[in-house]
Amino acid sequence: MRILTVGAGAVGGWFGSRLHRAGHDVTFLVRPRRAAALRARGLRVSGLGEQTVLAPQLVTADEPAQTYDLVLLSVKSTALDRAAKDLAPAVGPRTAILPLLNGMAHLDRLAEPFGRRAVLGGVAKVVTTLDEHGDIVRLAPPSAILTGELDGAPSARVDTVRALLAGAGIDSPDTPDITAAMWHKWVFITALGASTCLMRGSVGEFNAVPGGAGLARALLAEAAAVSAAAGYPVPDAELDFTTQTVTTAGSRLTPSMYRDVLAGRPTEVEHVLGDLVARARALAVPTPLLDLATLHLRVHQHRTAAQPGREDAG
């Protein structure tokens, strides 16, 4: 199976490196600047006892294209439109596109040029980041990709993808309702992102002050209410896990959205929070705290957009 990983950042680079090490035919579609860095330094992965340097196959959007069997799309939502244009020549009639973005809006965006049949549902569970050199650092053990057909039907291609992932050491459990799984991940990342960004601190930092844990629980309750109203109530076990995650004293956990805020970079506010609160309005679900977090991040987004020379890395 020929695999194209769109993006070689913290998520795509991690999963692509696992597939590469397992002996699969993996190519990374990256921007010219990222390609130059990877050719100079290699794709480096560290953390949790690992120190790996790979020499990956690279391609940029201006090079001659060929089609692939599987596309792992792991860019941030702010780069989605450009990525969809760049990968178009790589998509053939039998290509499966597996997006690993949070939220749901990207499904419609990808269905426009490629057709809904080409797009699988996907959820990535990994805790990685890029350091100052652009190297991938793994921060915690999870390494999983959930996938399935968006209509929930059994699928030979999904079985093939899951087996391929499992063979590379990437957990890929059977997921009968991938749309529900995407909603539940959306609730998780919304609660974590809104909490840390609104309170400008790690999970441990805002839990160290009076009211911090209560606000995190309230943000989670609002996000879960939207998911339930959309027809995807979050199971109690997942709610308990997310509650524990956002209320753990001393936790140094921060999501990429918060790290982007600290670094003065654009965030995925519209894809993650903006879309969720818009759906809340349509479903008549009140979300005053999520509205506040969205407004807070939109101000940040407006500020970063006004800075000259801003460009999403990929």
Side-chain angles (χ1 to χ4, degrees):
M1 177 176 283
R2 303 188 66 251
I3 304 167
L4 181 68
T5 298
V6 183
V11 176
W14 166 258
F15 289 121
S17 74
R18 300 301 93 182
L19 292 164
H20 176 95
R21 290 187 65 185
H24 294 290
D25 182 358
V26 181
T27 299
F28 292 88
L29 173 60
V30 293
R31 306 274 181 85
R33 184 173 60 183
R34 181 64 168 157
L38 291 172
R39 290 185 176 116
R41 290 180 53 80
L43 180 62
R44 296 173 179 251
V45 181
S46 64
L48 303 186
E50 178 178 359
Q51 292 284 343
T52 303
V53 182
L54 305 176
Q57 298 182 74
L58 304 174
V59 65
T60 56
D62 59 349
E63 297 180 52
Q66 48 190 315
T67 60
Y68 294 80
D69 302 301
L70 175 65
V71 174
L72 290 181
L73 180 58
S74 59
V75 300
K76 291 190 176 182
S77 62
T78 50
L80 179 59
D81 287 344
R82 179 170 174 175
K85 181 179 179 180
D86 290 348
L87 72 87
V91 178
R94 297 183 179 178
T95 301
I97 302 172
L98 175 50
L100 301 177
L101 289 78
N102 293 313
M104 303 292 290
H106 58 279
L107 298 178
D108 289 337
R109 174 62 187 87
L110 293 170
E112 291 175 11
F114 304 120
R116 186 163 289 272
R117 179 71 182 85
V119 183
L120 296 172
V123 172
K125 296 187 177 183
V126 66
V127 186
T128 51
T129 189
L130 294 181
D131 66 13
E132 67 273 16
H133 304 294
D135 301 336
I136 300 166
V137 180
R138 191 181 185 195
L139 304 175
S143 178
I145 292 177
L146 311 184
T147 188
E149 300 289 352
L150 292 171
D151 63 4
S155 164
R157 67 173 180 170
V158 168
D159 292 341
T160 299
V161 170
R162 290 182 54 235
L164 178 146
L165 294 171
I170 301 166
D171 293 336
S172 188
D174 183 30
T175 308
D177 190 344
I178 189 62
T179 302
M182 291 174 67
W183 267 96
H184 300 161
K185 171 70 182 298
W186 195 5
V187 169
F188 173 87
I189 203 66
T190 294
L192 182 59
S195 298
T196 52
C197 292
L198 194 57
M199 293 183 261
R200 281 298 197 273
S202 68
V203 169
E205 287 173 330
F206 68 70
N207 275 282
V209 301
L215 183 56
R217 289 191 184 95
L219 286 162
L220 171 57
E222 288 187 1
V226 181
S227 187
Y232 303 98
V234 183
D236 289 343
E238 291 196 39
L239 278 177
D240 291 344
F241 173 80
T242 304
T243 300
Q244 181 179 359
T245 299
V246 298
T247 59
T248 298
S251 172
R252 298 167 61 185
L253 179 63
T254 60
S256 61
M257 181 179 288
Y258 175 65
R259 296 193 294 271
D260 286 340
V261 169
L262 287 187
R265 295 189 294 261
T267 72
E268 296 184 290
V269 55
E270 295 304 334
H271 197 81
V272 176
L273 292 179
D275 188 36
L276 189 70
V277 298
R279 292 173 191 247
R281 298 291 82 74
L283 295 165
V285 177
T287 54
L289 293 174
L290 289 176
D291 292 347
L292 178 62
T294 304
L295 178 60
H296 183 66
L297 284 167
R298 280 173 173 162
V299 172
H300 168 82
Q301 199 82 347
H302 178 76
R303 183 183 300 121
T304 59
Q307 297 175 14
R310 277 291 177 192
E311 182 180 356
D312 295 321

